[in-house]
Amino acid sequence: MHRRTLILAAGAAALMAAVPGAQAQETIKVGLILPLTGPFTAIGRQVETGARLYMQQKGNTVAGKTIELIVKDDGGVADATKRTAQDLIVNEKVNVLAGFGLTPLALATAPLATQAKVPQVVMAAGTATITEASPFIVRTSFTLPQATEPMADWAAKNGVKKVVTLVSDYGPGIDSEKAFSGVFTKAGGQVENLRVPLANPDFSPFLQKVADAKPDALFVFVPAGQGAQFMKQFVERGFDKSGIKLIGPGDVTDDEVLNGMGDAALGAITTHHYSVAHDSPENKSFVEAFKKISNGTRPNFMAVGGYDGMHLIYEGLKKTGGQGGQALIDAMKGLSWTSPRGPVSIDPQTRDIVQNIYVRKVERKDGELYNVEFATIPNVKDPVKAAKSN
């Protein structure tokens, strides 16, 4: 036990010693940790391309310092994320940690960010509580409750009385289930909840339960990349012709794979913070530039999280004159800008993103499928943290 305490103390000392101090540093190192192999590769690839695109457009110099992006693959495994983060802090002496494709990966790194006083920019993961895990975490993606509560509100106001929720059984899925059920039942709706394993999901037995329940709508949350597989089984079981509405946050009709889903996706109603079809000059130029550097791949909401994450790092460094640590986190609080997704800001109290949520419908335009926005809920804060502060 004594030996273990010594090892832990030595590890903590190494982390603290690794923190870039007052010495003049000409290079600002950003460690980007993402799942670039394994089942969640699509998430990592989108975030990385978004981050690289921002640097390509803005250059690699901020406040007289050179920005160096160090990209590492964690395979979507939390232990690997933690090891990689520790290596980046101790050996590479990074000034910022960024990326984090899934909630467990962001949470595994949180204690290291706190200990080493290194800002951790979460560009993808969506569980509401992530920013509470460390005072050094700031987020440019979204939270599931932020994207989900407007969906429950829309359903209740549009004649939907009975819903079955089908969610992946991990943090964000449980977040979305709770957020939807809470708002929808308060409005007088009836809900039955089903949870699917996150790894290698087979949706068939769960879809059979949905068919037996005969709801007005099926609310679905699966992580980006699993939407196409869900939609395939949805069609195989004839749900696209069953009259049951398909609703949910935007992950299930992910822009990158939406075209491949075919006509089954038409009419699906989702609420989310980004669509490749978002009508603004900033988004049009973002989509065009992204496609150029990714062999024609559409950007999705993960890409915009990576792009905006780099913007936040650049603008924070401009404010601090290139200083990292606590000064950089403080500089990021309250920043606001116009993103490809619309107006966004960082809540100074929670370090979480405040953004518009759009209600969208899958439609065919110019021969392709798009999430077409038809309503906007402006400046949405994460409702979980907003409820705690009231």
Side-chain angles (χ1 to χ4, degrees):
M1 192 63 203
H2 180 62
R3 177 175 152 72
R4 178 173 161 73
T5 308
L6 282 174
I7 291 168
L8 285 173
L15 277 175
M16 292 312 294
V19 181
Q23 77 272 26
Q25 274 197 309
E26 296 314 308
T27 303
I28 301 282
K29 294 183 178 182
V30 178
L32 189 65
I33 312 174
L34 293 165
L36 296 168
T37 52
F40 302 103
T41 303
I43 293 174
R45 197 179 58 244
Q46 283 272 348
V47 174
E48 182 187 0
T49 308
R52 288 193 187 280
L53 174 60
Y54 188 86
M55 290 186 71
Q56 190 183 84
Q57 290 179 339
K58 306 294 178 185
N60 68 341
T61 309
V62 179
K65 315 276 186 180
T66 303
I67 307 292
E68 182 187 344
L69 194 66
I70 304 169
V71 181
K72 298 286 186 181
D73 173 27
D74 61 13
V77 178
D79 283 349
T81 318
K82 190 173 184 177
R83 274 198 310 276
T84 303
Q86 182 139 4
D87 179 59
L88 284 167
I89 293 167
V90 175
N91 297 321
E92 298 283 358
K93 299 192 168 29
V94 294
N95 305 80
V96 181
L97 292 164
F100 310 102
L102 296 162
T103 293
L105 317 182
L107 293 177
T109 308
L112 302 179
T114 305
Q115 207 169 15
K117 296 184 168 56
V118 171
Q120 178 181 345
V121 181
V122 175
M123 297 172 166
T127 299
T129 54
I130 286 173
T131 52
E132 296 172 327
S134 167
F136 284 85
I137 291 180
V138 60
R139 174 157 39 195
T140 58
S141 50
F142 69 117
T143 81
L144 256 303
Q146 187 181 44
T148 301
E149 285 200 4
M151 185 75 259
D153 201 40
W154 183 89
K157 287 173 180 168
N158 284 272
V160 176
K161 303 276 188 252
K162 184 181 178 185
V163 173
V164 174
T165 69
L166 182 65
V167 306
S168 297
D169 192 4
Y170 77 127
I174 294 159
D175 258 9
S176 63
E177 176 191 284
K178 283 182 180 166
F180 182 88
S181 301
V183 172
F184 190 65
T185 52
K186 200 176 276 185
Q190 189 185 341
V191 183
E192 182 183 331
N193 302 130
L194 300 172
R195 294 180 184 176
V196 188
L198 175 63
N200 311 313
D202 175 13
F203 298 104
S204 304
F206 298 95
L207 286 169
Q208 185 54 54
K209 288 180 181 175
V210 175
D212 295 342
K214 296 183 175 62
D216 301 319
L218 171 60
F219 171 94
V220 178
F221 166 77
V222 292
Q226 289 188 358
Q229 185 188 345
F230 166 79
M231 203 60 81
K232 183 170 176 282
Q233 296 189 357
F234 184 81
V235 174
E236 283 168 359
R237 296 196 156 254
F239 274 86
D240 52 326
K241 297 176 180 67
S242 67
I244 297 171
K245 281 189 179 78
L246 180 62
I247 62 173
D251 311 68
V252 72
T253 57
D254 176 5
D255 287 311
E256 184 184 0
V257 293
L258 181 57
N259 252 332
M261 292 181 185
D263 289 353
L266 284 167
I269 303 282
T270 55
T271 45
H272 227 219
H273 59 284
Y274 177 72
S275 165
V276 76
H278 179 66
D279 189 10
S280 75
E282 292 83 7
N283 188 47
K284 285 191 173 87
S285 62
F286 170 69
V287 172
E288 196 179 309
F290 189 95
K291 284 182 171 179
K292 264 186 195 154
I293 67 166
S294 65
N295 297 324
T297 301
R298 284 179 176 185
N300 67 6
F301 63 101
M302 295 295 179
V304 91
Y307 187 83
D308 284 340
M310 291 311 296
H311 179 84
L312 181 66
I313 292 164
Y314 273 47
E315 292 304 309
L317 287 167
K318 281 180 195 173
K319 277 180 76 177
T320 67
Q323 203 181 336
Q326 185 69 55
L328 182 54
I329 272 288
D330 289 344
M332 289 172 170
K333 293 173 185 176
L335 278 178
S336 61
W337 66 97
T338 302
S339 156
R341 66 184 105 176
V344 297
S345 64
I346 301 299
D347 185 323
Q349 273 72 51
T350 65
R351 291 161 279 104
D352 230 328
I353 194 156
V354 181
Q355 59 193 334
N356 293 350
I357 298 295
Y358 306 96
V359 191
R360 312 102 50 84
K361 184 178 188 179
V362 176
E363 294 178 7
R364 193 177 293 286
K365 280 172 60 179
D366 306 321
E368 293 192 29
L369 296 182
Y370 289 98
N371 291 296
V372 178
E373 298 163 358
F374 64 85
T376 303
I377 302 102
N379 302 321
V380 180
K381 290 186 173 189
D382 170 53
V384 173
K385 286 185 280 295
K388 286 176 185 173
S389 65
N390 288 344

